[in-house]
Amino acid sequence: MGIATLVNATAQGAEQPEVTWAVTPLPPAMLERDDDIVGYGIDILDWFSDRLPDYHQTKEIIPLARLLKTLSGPGTFCAFGMNATPERQQFLHFTDVVQPHLPVSLILDASRSDQLKNYLNTDGDVDLEKLIIHSKLNGVLRSQRSYGPEIDAILRRHVENPRITHIGNDANFLQLIALGRMDWTLYLPAEAEYYRRTKVPEGAFSSWNIAGNDQLMPASIACSKTQTGKNIVDAINLLMQNHPEMPWTEFYSSSLSASDQIRYRKALKDYTNTRTPVAPN
């Protein structure tokens, strides 16, 4: 693959610790284009890697199915966009939350947003269970996909609901909604905007937070549990302490719709005012 090597001008000596950034194509954070891999996740990764001159750094495409095995195998690998679960912290080093992002949201045609008014709670979040039970709106979901524990529990309770259709590929869901063949679906907002831009550029959709979800979801950088991995995690945490405004989040924000950018900036402001570091590795 034509993946560029990340070697700083001051970091080309063989004596410098080696680290490989494991990148996994998951649009729009990371996607392959013209024998390269791009996306807001790569831009965020590059922001940090450019400020780590003491390491010899390369990128390697790693399929999602092999990611955890690669991170815990020989050498030092780091990956962007990981959640620091207690289980994973046993065999990986994790940074503080690098990229708070909007959670899975309900997506529908923007012109039909008023049809949700009877299914919103006092915070303006969608009561998904109430929507499924009482509305006449038809939803489309991707088969075998997890939308998070809160949402998955609701969907399991209503798996036989005739107004919910499950399809194996969700790339065309927005087209179905734009054509009026379906009313709503569930996406990460950046993912929804990616599909809008690529599939329905003339369309306009709105996204709504789902009751039970936090306003933002965490994502960290994980590194192999080696001394080099720990040193990189410590260096990234220091960079974050020195940049509390989190300028790299602008890469993610640019992947959102205009309305979701407003939603994100408000949520991020609240987050940065209350954030606490993760437990030490």
Side-chain angles (χ1 to χ4, degrees):
M1 306 299 292
I3 303 303
T5 300
L6 297 176
V7 183
N8 291 284
T10 59
Q12 295 180 352
E15 74 281 359
Q16 294 183 312
E18 300 269 351
V19 58
T20 301
W21 292 96
V23 295
T24 299
L26 290 172
M30 300 180 186
L31 59 152
E32 293 184 70
R33 180 181 296 160
D34 299 328
D35 292 327
D36 203 354
I37 190 160
V38 298
Y40 74 78
I42 298 298
D43 292 333
I44 292 171
L45 184 156
D46 287 347
W47 191 95
F48 286 100
S49 67
D50 288 346
R51 291 161 177 80
L52 298 172
D54 297 329
Y55 301 90
H56 181 271
Q57 306 175 57
T58 58
K59 287 180 186 152
E60 182 179 340
I61 293 179
I62 304 294
L64 184 60
R66 289 199 291 111
L67 182 58
L68 287 179
K69 183 177 180 180
T70 299
L71 291 173
S72 58
T76 297
F77 288 81
C78 294
F80 165 79
M82 303 284 289
N83 290 329
T85 64
E87 179 185 9
R88 291 174 178 176
Q89 285 180 314
Q90 294 180 25
F91 61 91
L92 294 173
H93 291 299
F94 281 88
T95 67
D96 194 358
V97 175
V98 169
Q99 179 57 67
H101 59 278
L102 294 176
V104 167
S105 301
L106 186 135
I107 312 293
L108 78 164
D109 192 289
S111 66
R112 303 179 64 189
S113 295
D114 61 336
Q115 295 183 31
L116 292 180
K117 63 183 180 181
N118 293 328
Y119 311 105
L120 303 179
N121 64 16
T122 55
D123 294 324
D125 296 340
V126 174
D127 186 325
L128 182 60
E129 191 147 35
K130 186 177 179 181
L131 176 78
I132 292 172
I133 294 172
H134 298 294
S135 84
K136 295 182 179 180
L137 300 177
N138 296 307
V140 57
L141 303 173
R142 195 176 84 190
S143 304
Q144 307 301 316
R145 176 169 183 170
S146 173
Y147 293 97
E150 295 287 342
I151 296 175
D152 287 349
I154 295 171
L155 297 179
R156 281 195 298 270
R157 290 195 289 271
H158 302 284
V159 68
E160 302 297 332
N161 190 296
R163 292 194 178 277
I164 299 178
T165 300
H166 294 83
I167 299 177
N169 187 333
D170 58 10
N172 297 319
F173 283 3
L174 294 186
Q175 290 168 296
L176 293 175
I177 292 173
L179 292 170
R181 293 171 60 185
M182 290 292 171
D183 299 312
W184 61 267
T185 188
L186 302 177
Y187 275 129
L188 291 165
E191 183 182 36
E193 178 62 5
Y194 168 75
Y195 284 129
R196 187 201 67 78
R197 293 175 185 179
T198 56
K199 301 286 187 177
V200 201
E202 72 284 357
F205 301 87
S206 61
S207 71
W208 298 76
N209 197 55
I210 296 170
N213 271 355
D214 292 331
Q215 294 297 320
L216 291 176
M217 301 296 287
S220 301
I221 290 172
C223 292
S224 304
K225 207 143 197 179
T226 62
Q227 186 60 50
T228 297
K230 184 179 188 309
N231 292 344
I232 291 171
V233 163
D234 290 344
I236 290 174
N237 282 340
L238 182 59
L239 283 168
M240 288 193 285
Q241 291 175 27
N242 293 336
H243 296 84
E245 72 283 8
M246 304 179 79
W248 57 87
T249 58
E250 284 299 315
F251 297 120
Y252 168 75
S253 182
S254 68
S255 73
L256 300 172
S257 67
S259 58
D260 277 336
Q261 287 185 35
I262 295 172
R263 172 184 166 196
Y264 179 64
R265 283 194 291 269
K266 181 182 182 301
L268 185 62
K269 182 178 180 181
D270 293 340
Y271 171 82
T272 54
N273 287 336
T274 58
R275 64 182 298 195
T276 55
V278 297
N281 289 276

